[in-house]
Amino acid sequence: MRDRKPKAPLRSDAQRNRERILEVALTELTRAADAPLSVIAKKACVGQGTFYRNFPSREALVLEVYRYEVQQVADTADQLLATRPPDRALREWMDRLAQYAMAKAGLADALRKATSARGTLAGLGHGPLTRAIGALIEANERAGTIRPGVTPEDFLLAIAGLWQIDPHTDWASRARRLLDLVMDGLRVGAPAPDHRSAGPE
């Protein structure tokens, strides 16, 4: 009976170890795409065994860090829709995505290297990003502020140029021009906006 009691604390410790590894990995991979896993484990203060139980490969670690970060960006869509008119929420969310893309350029490099056979960033971020974009598009279609029939996949293809911008240049103005062009394109063919439905009640 006695050997059953420590299980809950062990689960709690394991969760803390996992979170600490992810925190360190985000910092190290953002700084350098080729950051050694041994360095990440050491800075997270976990042994190699613990590290590899949580993340058996570099790819597994990079994907998990990426998923976590993308989820944070995706979650802002609902927050913006609750406090902004749909078209403003969409445009501000696009800016948030651009900031993420530039701030996490090292992580993006790590992702590309770890998943070179799997496809694009857009494909790997399909779940949370697609849901966030879908909610933004749906709200804007209801408000009549964008053309009907746009899909999340269309949107991701339209903004794919974000990932080509060098974060060491004047990326903010370049991203703003690109996203303004995308937003202008989304508005072409939109019905007359129903301003009564443009914002939260």
PDB file of all heavy atoms in Angstrom, residues 116-146:
ATOM      1  N   SER A 116      12.148  18.534 -42.149  1.00  0.00           N
ATOM      2  CA  SER A 116      12.349  18.856 -43.563  1.00  0.00           C
ATOM      3  C   SER A 116      11.564  17.950 -44.487  1.00  0.00           C
ATOM      4  O   SER A 116      11.220  18.327 -45.600  1.00  0.00           O
ATOM      5  CB  SER A 116      13.839  18.783 -43.910  1.00  0.00           C
ATOM      6  OG  SER A 116      14.347  17.487 -43.619  1.00  0.00           O
ATOM      7  N   ALA A 117      11.242  16.741 -44.050  1.00  0.00           N
ATOM      8  CA  ALA A 117      10.508  15.808 -44.911  1.00  0.00           C
ATOM      9  C   ALA A 117       9.003  15.902 -44.714  1.00  0.00           C
ATOM     10  O   ALA A 117       8.242  15.210 -45.373  1.00  0.00           O
ATOM     11  CB  ALA A 117      10.962  14.373 -44.635  1.00  0.00           C
ATOM     12  N   ARG A 118       8.563  16.778 -43.816  1.00  0.00           N
ATOM     13  CA  ARG A 118       7.138  16.791 -43.470  1.00  0.00           C
ATOM     14  C   ARG A 118       6.342  17.903 -44.117  1.00  0.00           C
ATOM     15  O   ARG A 118       5.128  17.869 -44.135  1.00  0.00           O
ATOM     16  CB  ARG A 118       6.972  16.918 -41.954  1.00  0.00           C
ATOM     17  CG  ARG A 118       7.255  15.616 -41.235  1.00  0.00           C
ATOM     18  CD  ARG A 118       6.738  15.735 -39.827  1.00  0.00           C
ATOM     19  NE  ARG A 118       6.751  14.451 -39.155  1.00  0.00           N
ATOM     20  CZ  ARG A 118       6.014  14.179 -38.100  1.00  0.00           C
ATOM     21  NH1 ARG A 118       5.172  15.071 -37.630  1.00  0.00           N
ATOM     22  NH2 ARG A 118       6.080  13.005 -37.520  1.00  0.00           N
ATOM     23  N   GLY A 119       7.001  18.948 -44.592  1.00  0.00           N
ATOM     24  CA  GLY A 119       6.232  20.007 -45.225  1.00  0.00           C
ATOM     25  C   GLY A 119       6.453  21.356 -44.584  1.00  0.00           C
ATOM     26  O   GLY A 119       7.497  21.617 -44.001  1.00  0.00           O
ATOM     27  N   THR A 120       5.469  22.229 -44.679  1.00  0.00           N
ATOM     28  CA  THR A 120       5.629  23.623 -44.312  1.00  0.00           C
ATOM     29  C   THR A 120       5.164  23.917 -42.896  1.00  0.00           C
ATOM     30  O   THR A 120       4.487  23.132 -42.261  1.00  0.00           O
ATOM     31  CB  THR A 120       4.806  24.507 -45.266  1.00  0.00           C
ATOM     32  OG1 THR A 120       3.421  24.208 -45.058  1.00  0.00           O
ATOM     33  CG2 THR A 120       5.167  24.247 -46.706  1.00  0.00           C
ATOM     34  N   LEU A 121       5.532  25.118 -42.445  1.00  0.00           N
ATOM     35  CA  LEU A 121       5.059  25.576 -41.148  1.00  0.00           C
ATOM     36  C   LEU A 121       3.542  25.636 -41.106  1.00  0.00           C
ATOM     37  O   LEU A 121       2.916  25.278 -40.117  1.00  0.00           O
ATOM     38  CB  LEU A 121       5.623  26.977 -40.873  1.00  0.00           C
ATOM     39  CG  LEU A 121       7.089  27.059 -40.479  1.00  0.00           C
ATOM     40  CD1 LEU A 121       7.556  28.495 -40.533  1.00  0.00           C
ATOM     41  CD2 LEU A 121       7.306  26.491 -39.104  1.00  0.00           C
ATOM     42  N   ALA A 122       2.958  26.101 -42.204  1.00  0.00           N
ATOM     43  CA  ALA A 122       1.501  26.192 -42.246  1.00  0.00           C
ATOM     44  C   ALA A 122       0.865  24.828 -42.035  1.00  0.00           C
ATOM     45  O   ALA A 122      -0.128  24.683 -41.333  1.00  0.00           O
ATOM     46  CB  ALA A 122       1.057  26.776 -43.585  1.00  0.00           C
ATOM     47  N   GLY A 123       1.445  23.804 -42.636  1.00  0.00           N
ATOM     48  CA  GLY A 123       0.884  22.467 -42.482  1.00  0.00           C
ATOM     49  C   GLY A 123       1.006  21.956 -41.065  1.00  0.00           C
ATOM     50  O   GLY A 123       0.054  21.387 -40.521  1.00  0.00           O
ATOM     51  N   LEU A 124       2.155  22.185 -40.431  1.00  0.00           N
ATOM     52  CA  LEU A 124       2.362  21.688 -39.079  1.00  0.00           C
ATOM     53  C   LEU A 124       1.545  22.447 -38.049  1.00  0.00           C
ATOM     54  O   LEU A 124       1.214  21.921 -37.002  1.00  0.00           O
ATOM     55  CB  LEU A 124       3.856  21.764 -38.730  1.00  0.00           C
ATOM     56  CG  LEU A 124       4.720  20.735 -39.454  1.00  0.00           C
ATOM     57  CD1 LEU A 124       6.191  21.069 -39.283  1.00  0.00           C
ATOM     58  CD2 LEU A 124       4.448  19.336 -38.957  1.00  0.00           C
ATOM     59  N   GLY A 125       1.205  23.698 -38.344  1.00  0.00           N
ATOM     60  CA  GLY A 125       0.393  24.476 -37.418  1.00  0.00           C
ATOM     61  C   GLY A 125      -1.082  24.397 -37.745  1.00  0.00           C
ATOM     62  O   GLY A 125      -1.858  25.229 -37.288  1.00  0.00           O
ATOM     63  N   HIS A 126      -1.459  23.399 -38.514  1.00  0.00           N
ATOM     64  CA  HIS A 126      -2.809  23.325 -39.071  1.00  0.00           C
ATOM     65  C   HIS A 126      -3.904  23.383 -38.014  1.00  0.00           C
ATOM     66  O   HIS A 126      -4.878  24.120 -38.169  1.00  0.00           O
ATOM     67  CB  HIS A 126      -2.957  22.038 -39.889  1.00  0.00           C
ATOM     68  CG  HIS A 126      -4.235  21.946 -40.652  1.00  0.00           C
ATOM     69  ND1 HIS A 126      -5.382  21.403 -40.103  1.00  0.00           N
ATOM     70  CD2 HIS A 126      -4.562  22.340 -41.902  1.00  0.00           C
ATOM     71  CE1 HIS A 126      -6.347  21.456 -41.001  1.00  0.00           C
ATOM     72  NE2 HIS A 126      -5.891  22.023 -42.094  1.00  0.00           N
ATOM     73  N   GLY A 127      -3.759  22.640 -36.925  1.00  0.00           N
ATOM     74  CA  GLY A 127      -4.832  22.544 -35.946  1.00  0.00           C
ATOM     75  C   GLY A 127      -5.244  23.859 -35.315  1.00  0.00           C
ATOM     76  O   GLY A 127      -6.282  24.433 -35.678  1.00  0.00           O
ATOM     77  N   PRO A 128      -4.451  24.385 -34.364  1.00  0.00           N
ATOM     78  CA  PRO A 128      -4.872  25.607 -33.660  1.00  0.00           C
ATOM     79  C   PRO A 128      -4.960  26.825 -34.567  1.00  0.00           C
ATOM     80  O   PRO A 128      -5.873  27.642 -34.421  1.00  0.00           O
ATOM     81  CB  PRO A 128      -3.806  25.795 -32.579  1.00  0.00           C
ATOM     82  CG  PRO A 128      -2.656  24.953 -32.996  1.00  0.00           C
ATOM     83  CD  PRO A 128      -3.218  23.823 -33.791  1.00  0.00           C
ATOM     84  N   LEU A 129      -4.033  26.976 -35.507  1.00  0.00           N
ATOM     85  CA  LEU A 129      -4.090  28.128 -36.400  1.00  0.00           C
ATOM     86  C   LEU A 129      -5.329  28.076 -37.281  1.00  0.00           C
ATOM     87  O   LEU A 129      -5.990  29.093 -37.499  1.00  0.00           O
ATOM     88  CB  LEU A 129      -2.835  28.205 -37.279  1.00  0.00           C
ATOM     89  CG  LEU A 129      -1.564  28.741 -36.632  1.00  0.00           C
ATOM     90  CD1 LEU A 129      -0.468  28.886 -37.673  1.00  0.00           C
ATOM     91  CD2 LEU A 129      -1.814  30.074 -35.945  1.00  0.00           C
ATOM     92  N   THR A 130      -5.635  26.903 -37.809  1.00  0.00           N
ATOM     93  CA  THR A 130      -6.806  26.776 -38.674  1.00  0.00           C
ATOM     94  C   THR A 130      -8.082  27.104 -37.913  1.00  0.00           C
ATOM     95  O   THR A 130      -8.978  27.784 -38.438  1.00  0.00           O
ATOM     96  CB  THR A 130      -6.893  25.357 -39.265  1.00  0.00           C
ATOM     97  OG1 THR A 130      -5.736  25.124 -40.069  1.00  0.00           O
ATOM     98  CG2 THR A 130      -8.123  25.201 -40.134  1.00  0.00           C
ATOM     99  N   ARG A 131      -8.179  26.628 -36.672  1.00  0.00           N
ATOM    100  CA  ARG A 131      -9.367  26.942 -35.875  1.00  0.00           C
ATOM    101  C   ARG A 131      -9.475  28.439 -35.606  1.00  0.00           C
ATOM    102  O   ARG A 131     -10.560  29.028 -35.688  1.00  0.00           O
ATOM    103  CB  ARG A 131      -9.346  26.153 -34.568  1.00  0.00           C
ATOM    104  CG  ARG A 131      -9.671  24.680 -34.743  1.00  0.00           C
ATOM    105  CD  ARG A 131      -9.888  24.000 -33.410  1.00  0.00           C
ATOM    106  NE  ARG A 131      -8.645  23.895 -32.641  1.00  0.00           N
ATOM    107  CZ  ARG A 131      -7.766  22.906 -32.772  1.00  0.00           C
ATOM    108  NH1 ARG A 131      -7.984  21.944 -33.643  1.00  0.00           N
ATOM    109  NH2 ARG A 131      -6.680  22.865 -32.024  1.00  0.00           N
ATOM    110  N   ALA A 132      -8.346  29.079 -35.273  1.00  0.00           N
ATOM    111  CA  ALA A 132      -8.356  30.521 -35.003  1.00  0.00           C
ATOM    112  C   ALA A 132      -8.729  31.303 -36.256  1.00  0.00           C
ATOM    113  O   ALA A 132      -9.571  32.215 -36.212  1.00  0.00           O
ATOM    114  CB  ALA A 132      -6.986  30.962 -34.491  1.00  0.00           C
ATOM    115  N   ILE A 133      -8.108  30.953 -37.371  1.00  0.00           N
ATOM    116  CA  ILE A 133      -8.399  31.650 -38.626  1.00  0.00           C
ATOM    117  C   ILE A 133      -9.848  31.413 -39.039  1.00  0.00           C
ATOM    118  O   ILE A 133     -10.537  32.332 -39.495  1.00  0.00           O
ATOM    119  CB  ILE A 133      -7.438  31.177 -39.734  1.00  0.00           C
ATOM    120  CG1 ILE A 133      -6.006  31.600 -39.390  1.00  0.00           C
ATOM    121  CG2 ILE A 133      -7.837  31.754 -41.096  1.00  0.00           C
ATOM    122  CD1 ILE A 133      -4.943  30.885 -40.200  1.00  0.00           C
ATOM    123  N   GLY A 134     -10.318  30.185 -38.853  1.00  0.00           N
ATOM    124  CA  GLY A 134     -11.702  29.880 -39.185  1.00  0.00           C
ATOM    125  C   GLY A 134     -12.679  30.743 -38.404  1.00  0.00           C
ATOM    126  O   GLY A 134     -13.673  31.242 -38.956  1.00  0.00           O
ATOM    127  N   ALA A 135     -12.420  30.934 -37.112  1.00  0.00           N
ATOM    128  CA  ALA A 135     -13.299  31.763 -36.281  1.00  0.00           C
ATOM    129  C   ALA A 135     -13.275  33.214 -36.748  1.00  0.00           C
ATOM    130  O   ALA A 135     -14.324  33.882 -36.807  1.00  0.00           O
ATOM    131  CB  ALA A 135     -12.870  31.670 -34.818  1.00  0.00           C
ATOM    132  N   LEU A 136     -12.091  33.710 -37.088  1.00  0.00           N
ATOM    133  CA  LEU A 136     -11.966  35.093 -37.560  1.00  0.00           C
ATOM    134  C   LEU A 136     -12.670  35.280 -38.895  1.00  0.00           C
ATOM    135  O   LEU A 136     -13.382  36.273 -39.112  1.00  0.00           O
ATOM    136  CB  LEU A 136     -10.485  35.467 -37.681  1.00  0.00           C
ATOM    137  CG  LEU A 136      -9.735  35.643 -36.355  1.00  0.00           C
ATOM    138  CD1 LEU A 136      -8.236  35.529 -36.566  1.00  0.00           C
ATOM    139  CD2 LEU A 136     -10.094  36.993 -35.725  1.00  0.00           C
ATOM    140  N   ILE A 137     -12.489  34.331 -39.814  1.00  0.00           N
ATOM    141  CA  ILE A 137     -13.132  34.422 -41.120  1.00  0.00           C
ATOM    142  C   ILE A 137     -14.654  34.353 -40.991  1.00  0.00           C
ATOM    143  O   ILE A 137     -15.387  35.132 -41.612  1.00  0.00           O
ATOM    144  CB  ILE A 137     -12.609  33.301 -42.051  1.00  0.00           C
ATOM    145  CG1 ILE A 137     -11.168  33.594 -42.463  1.00  0.00           C
ATOM    146  CG2 ILE A 137     -13.499  33.157 -43.287  1.00  0.00           C
ATOM    147  CD1 ILE A 137     -10.517  32.466 -43.251  1.00  0.00           C
ATOM    148  N   GLU A 138     -15.126  33.441 -40.172  1.00  0.00           N
ATOM    149  CA  GLU A 138     -16.572  33.288 -39.992  1.00  0.00           C
ATOM    150  C   GLU A 138     -17.198  34.563 -39.443  1.00  0.00           C
ATOM    151  O   GLU A 138     -18.258  35.010 -39.905  1.00  0.00           O
ATOM    152  CB  GLU A 138     -16.861  32.113 -39.061  1.00  0.00           C
ATOM    153  CG  GLU A 138     -18.343  31.844 -38.852  1.00  0.00           C
ATOM    154  CD  GLU A 138     -18.609  30.686 -37.912  1.00  0.00           C
ATOM    155  OE1 GLU A 138     -17.643  29.988 -37.535  1.00  0.00           O
ATOM    156  OE2 GLU A 138     -19.775  30.491 -37.544  1.00  0.00           O
ATOM    157  N   ALA A 139     -16.538  35.173 -38.457  1.00  0.00           N
ATOM    158  CA  ALA A 139     -17.060  36.411 -37.872  1.00  0.00           C
ATOM    159  C   ALA A 139     -17.093  37.524 -38.910  1.00  0.00           C
ATOM    160  O   ALA A 139     -18.041  38.321 -38.959  1.00  0.00           O
ATOM    161  CB  ALA A 139     -16.210  36.820 -36.668  1.00  0.00           C
ATOM    162  N   ASN A 140     -16.073  37.588 -39.751  1.00  0.00           N
ATOM    163  CA  ASN A 140     -16.029  38.631 -40.770  1.00  0.00           C
ATOM    164  C   ASN A 140     -17.040  38.380 -41.882  1.00  0.00           C
ATOM    165  O   ASN A 140     -17.623  39.324 -42.425  1.00  0.00           O
ATOM    166  CB  ASN A 140     -14.612  38.741 -41.344  1.00  0.00           C
ATOM    167  CG  ASN A 140     -13.715  39.603 -40.492  1.00  0.00           C
ATOM    168  OD1 ASN A 140     -13.706  40.826 -40.618  1.00  0.00           O
ATOM    169  ND2 ASN A 140     -12.969  38.974 -39.594  1.00  0.00           N
ATOM    170  N   GLU A 141     -17.266  37.127 -42.229  1.00  0.00           N
ATOM    171  CA  GLU A 141     -18.288  36.838 -43.241  1.00  0.00           C
ATOM    172  C   GLU A 141     -19.673  37.232 -42.727  1.00  0.00           C
ATOM    173  O   GLU A 141     -20.487  37.790 -43.477  1.00  0.00           O
ATOM    174  CB  GLU A 141     -18.250  35.357 -43.628  1.00  0.00           C
ATOM    175  CG  GLU A 141     -17.099  34.999 -44.547  1.00  0.00           C
ATOM    176  CD  GLU A 141     -17.284  33.636 -45.201  1.00  0.00           C
ATOM    177  OE1 GLU A 141     -18.225  32.903 -44.803  1.00  0.00           O
ATOM    178  OE2 GLU A 141     -16.499  33.307 -46.096  1.00  0.00           O
ATOM    179  N   ARG A 142     -19.949  36.929 -41.470  1.00  0.00           N
ATOM    180  CA  ARG A 142     -21.240  37.311 -40.892  1.00  0.00           C
ATOM    181  C   ARG A 142     -21.415  38.827 -40.903  1.00  0.00           C
ATOM    182  O   ARG A 142     -22.508  39.337 -41.105  1.00  0.00           O
ATOM    183  CB  ARG A 142     -21.378  36.781 -39.459  1.00  0.00           C
ATOM    184  CG  ARG A 142     -21.639  35.294 -39.368  1.00  0.00           C
ATOM    185  CD  ARG A 142     -22.216  34.933 -37.998  1.00  0.00           C
ATOM    186  NE  ARG A 142     -21.389  35.437 -36.905  1.00  0.00           N
ATOM    187  CZ  ARG A 142     -20.431  34.745 -36.307  1.00  0.00           C
ATOM    188  NH1 ARG A 142     -20.149  33.506 -36.717  1.00  0.00           N
ATOM    189  NH2 ARG A 142     -19.738  35.274 -35.314  1.00  0.00           N
ATOM    190  N   ALA A 143     -20.309  39.536 -40.657  1.00  0.00           N
ATOM    191  CA  ALA A 143     -20.363  41.004 -40.628  1.00  0.00           C
ATOM    192  C   ALA A 143     -20.321  41.606 -42.030  1.00  0.00           C
ATOM    193  O   ALA A 143     -20.522  42.814 -42.189  1.00  0.00           O
ATOM    194  CB  ALA A 143     -19.206  41.539 -39.783  1.00  0.00           C
ATOM    195  N   GLY A 144     -20.039  40.784 -43.043  1.00  0.00           N
ATOM    196  CA  GLY A 144     -19.971  41.286 -44.407  1.00  0.00           C
ATOM    197  C   GLY A 144     -18.737  42.101 -44.703  1.00  0.00           C
ATOM    198  O   GLY A 144     -18.720  42.929 -45.618  1.00  0.00           O
ATOM    199  N   THR A 145     -17.649  41.877 -43.938  1.00  0.00           N
ATOM    200  CA  THR A 145     -16.445  42.697 -44.093  1.00  0.00           C
ATOM    201  C   THR A 145     -15.372  42.065 -44.966  1.00  0.00           C
ATOM    202  O   THR A 145     -14.364  42.711 -45.273  1.00  0.00           O
ATOM    203  CB  THR A 145     -15.853  43.033 -42.702  1.00  0.00           C
ATOM    204  OG1 THR A 145     -15.761  41.828 -41.934  1.00  0.00           O
ATOM    205  CG2 THR A 145     -16.752  44.014 -41.966  1.00  0.00           C
ATOM    206  N   ILE A 146     -15.535  40.784 -45.328  1.00  0.00           N
ATOM    207  CA  ILE A 146     -14.625  40.154 -46.276  1.00  0.00           C
ATOM    208  C   ILE A 146     -15.436  39.402 -47.323  1.00  0.00           C
ATOM    209  O   ILE A 146     -16.628  39.147 -47.137  1.00  0.00           O
ATOM    210  CB  ILE A 146     -13.627  39.184 -45.605  1.00  0.00           C
ATOM    211  CG1 ILE A 146     -14.362  37.982 -44.983  1.00  0.00           C
ATOM    212  CG2 ILE A 146     -12.761  39.910 -44.580  1.00  0.00           C
ATOM    213  CD1 ILE A 146     -13.440  36.884 -44.484  1.00  0.00           C
TER     214      ILE A 146
END
